[in-house]
Amino acid sequence: MIEVRSLHKRFGDHTALKDVDLDVARGEVVVVIGPSGSGKSTLCRCLNRLETPDSGVIRFDGADLPAEGRALARLRADVGMVFQSFNLFQHKTVLENLTLAPTRVRGTSRAEAERNARELLDRVGIGEQADKLPAQLSGGQQQRAAIARALAMRPKAMLFDEPTSALDPEMVGEVLDVMTGLARDGMTMVVVTHEMGFARQVADRVVFMADGEVVETGEPSAFFDSPPRTGPGTSWPRSSATSGTAVILRRAGHGAPPEKG
Amino acid sequence: MRVSPVRVLRAAGMAYVEVLQNIPLLVWLVIAVFGLPEIGVIAGLFTTSVVVIALYQGAYMAEAVRSGINAVPAGQGEAARALGLSFVQSLRLVVLPQALRTVVQPLGNIAIMTLMNTALAAAVGVVELTAAANRVNLAEAQPIWIFVTAGLAYMALSGVLGLASGALERKWAILR
């Protein structure tokens, strides 16, 4: 459904993406992990062209991503995006946040858009907050509203750019629960996150990035539980989420010499 | 225009603001009143003054609105475009409404400044409030009372503008 071929992106002197390839099949949940500055957010933002790549190809449903304009707007309408900082429209109520794009872009009637919006808000568990302003909600509630806002466009795929990084720890769970539900319902998802537990339990495939490159990709079980390929005689804790990070960082060449071949 | 992604528009906006703001209003009035007839543009004194003052204050308004647009977090526009809204729609429905709410007070101040600057039109012969007071004074020779009264009239008008902008600001306050 989403194909990325040899994507490059620079910001001034800094190379954010180097020759990145990625394929996401329909219904697949791909989790992109990696240290800060590894280019994973940039990759995510390139997928709906909020960031314009310098070179490379991105295809969505077999068609090249169009340049800025009407065609791109149509494509973005089909790809939901959830941001780290929620980005709910501050001057509109939660309900209006959900109905704005369906009425303006899809031409849905106000009544139908509101009915659909209320259903979605119920589904993410904040139905009673519909008439409040975003600032009156907790971070977790705002992010759930933002997910509902993206779903209101009935997207074919969803991009999540570090959806839980700006949240207090006690609110991370409620957002991940909503995302897990979405994944179970068969949504095609690209999730940039630091949540190893989520990657392990929900991902169909985990992509590990470092320094703008895809270093490794594989199924979460192989990724987190397989015996380490680096450093003989090292014992690896396998259960906790943090051990996953250790394994991955080690594999990326942080802390141990990478294995050849 | 100065926040436009189109370079030509941005340059035009910048030229407008810089040219208008960096020359005093009185000079503009004199240039317009005496210069425009020279190049064949004949308009009444009143019309000329209104247009010049409007253009001049417009430059200040533009700068206030620009600061408001810059105060809206970039993520707001990004979220709008990510939902499939066009650039114009995201500006009109998401960015500008928030920008204008943050600059109600500065815009109110500019409106009051516009009112005060109308007094300068007296210098090029338009009979507005100050010139009218001056004429009455020439006939009655009561400068203090006549100009204090004119001053009170200015205060009353600007008071109305100030109250209106304050009320708008409270009504449109956005929580962040």
Side-chain angles (χ1 to χ4, degrees):
Chain A
M1 177 173 223
I2 303 173
E3 280 173 71
V4 177
R5 290 289 172 273
S6 54
L7 198 66
H8 286 265
K9 174 72 184 176
R10 298 175 66 86
F11 293 107
D13 288 341
H14 175 67
T15 303
L17 294 175
K18 273 186 275 204
D19 203 19
V20 171
D21 292 345
L22 179 73
D23 286 279
V24 183
R26 191 176 303 275
E28 196 179 22
V29 177
V30 173
V31 171
V32 184
I33 53 180
S36 300
S38 59
K40 54 195 194 305
S41 275
T42 307
L43 172 63
C44 188
R45 291 166 57 84
C46 280
L47 293 182
N48 68 351
R49 238 186 138 105
L50 280 182
E51 219 65 81
T52 310
D54 295 331
S55 66
V57 179
I58 300 174
R59 289 196 197 93
F60 188 82
D61 267 348
D64 279 5
L65 219 59
E68 195 75 45
R70 267 167 212 271
L72 181 61
R74 263 199 302 278
L75 180 130
R76 282 175 177 153
D78 287 338
V79 182
M81 178 140 192
V82 175
F83 299 85
Q84 181 175 357
S85 49
F86 330 134
N87 296 348
L88 290 170
F89 305 134
Q90 299 291 319
H91 62 306
K92 294 193 175 292
T93 65
V94 170
L95 190 72
E96 289 167 343
N97 263 277
L98 267 71
T99 56
L100 179 75
T103 53
R104 297 289 179 159
V105 178
R106 295 258 194 256
T108 314
S109 74
R110 180 155 300 278
E112 193 189 336
E114 285 192 6
R115 196 162 42 77
N116 184 33
R118 287 189 192 278
E119 269 177 37
L120 283 167
L121 289 174
D122 283 336
R123 182 168 154 198
V124 299
I126 51 169
E128 70 288 359
Q129 315 288 350
D131 298 314
K132 291 193 181 165
L133 288 169
Q136 294 169 306
L137 271 53
S138 74
Q141 290 171 330
Q142 288 194 49
Q143 193 60 298
R144 284 186 280 158
I147 294 172
R149 176 176 68 179
L151 291 175
M153 293 297 283
R154 304 184 189 282
K156 295 176 185 165
M158 290 278 285
L159 309 175
F160 293 84
D161 184 7
E162 302 202 26
T164 57
S165 300
L167 295 174
D168 292 335
E170 71 268 24
M171 294 172 181
V172 169
E174 63 194 55
V175 171
L176 292 180
D177 286 347
V178 169
M179 291 166 61
T180 306
L182 261 183
R184 300 256 150 83
D185 291 347
M187 177 60 78
T188 307
M189 293 163 63
V190 176
V191 184
V192 171
T193 187
H194 294 287
E195 294 295 331
M196 296 304 159
F198 178 83
R200 188 191 181 95
Q201 284 158 24
V202 182
D204 295 313
R205 201 146 46 86
V206 177
V207 172
F208 178 72
M209 290 185 70
D211 298 328
E213 291 177 288
V214 172
V215 177
E216 195 163 340
T217 170
E219 288 183 13
S221 56
F223 214 87
F224 292 109
D225 300 333
S226 64
R229 296 183 302 177
T230 52
T234 325
S235 72
W236 295 86
R238 290 185 186 184
S239 52
S240 74
T242 47
S243 73
T245 318
V247 173
I248 291 153
L249 289 178
R250 190 63 68 96
R251 282 185 190 172
H254 296 266
E259 192 187 71
K260 300 289 177 210
Chain B
M1 284 205 284
R2 287 187 73 173
V3 291
S4 161
V6 184
R7 190 187 296 246
V8 178
L9 284 179
R10 207 161 56 222
M14 195 167 147
Y16 168 63
V17 168
E18 294 302 325
V19 169
L20 267 294
Q21 277 191 344
N22 291 335
I23 296 177
L25 177 56
L26 185 56
V27 176
W28 277 120
L29 283 168
V30 172
I31 290 174
V33 166
F34 296 105
L36 287 182
E38 291 283 313
I39 57 168
V41 182
I42 311 290
L45 280 181
F46 178 77
T47 313
T48 310
S49 302
V50 166
V51 169
V52 169
I53 292 172
L55 285 174
Y56 182 79
Q57 299 296 147
Y60 283 88
M61 293 260 180
E63 282 297 88
V65 171
R66 180 168 76 109
S67 75
I69 290 174
N70 288 339
V72 177
Q76 295 285 311
E78 283 183 357
R81 281 182 291 131
L83 282 166
L85 294 165
S86 67
F87 177 78
V88 174
Q89 279 178 321
S90 62
L91 201 61
R92 191 165 60 85
L93 299 170
V94 174
V95 177
L96 274 181
Q98 295 186 54
L100 290 177
R101 281 161 210 235
T102 62
V103 294
V104 168
Q105 198 61 55
L107 287 182
N109 287 338
I110 293 168
I112 292 170
M113 193 171 111
T114 309
L115 176 69
M116 298 303 148
N117 279 343
T118 57
L120 285 174
V124 290
V126 177
V127 186
E128 43 63 70
L129 184 52
T130 303
N134 198 28
R135 286 191 182 186
V136 175
N137 181 42
L138 289 177
E140 305 290 333
Q142 292 280 346
I144 294 178
W145 292 115
I146 289 164
F147 284 107
V148 164
T149 307
L152 287 175
Y154 279 117
M155 278 178 70
L157 288 170
S158 65
V160 170
L161 287 173
L163 286 177
S165 69
L168 271 181
E169 187 170 42
R170 276 189 298 282
K171 181 169 175 243
W172 280 347
I174 22 176
L175 298 160
R176 287 202 195 276

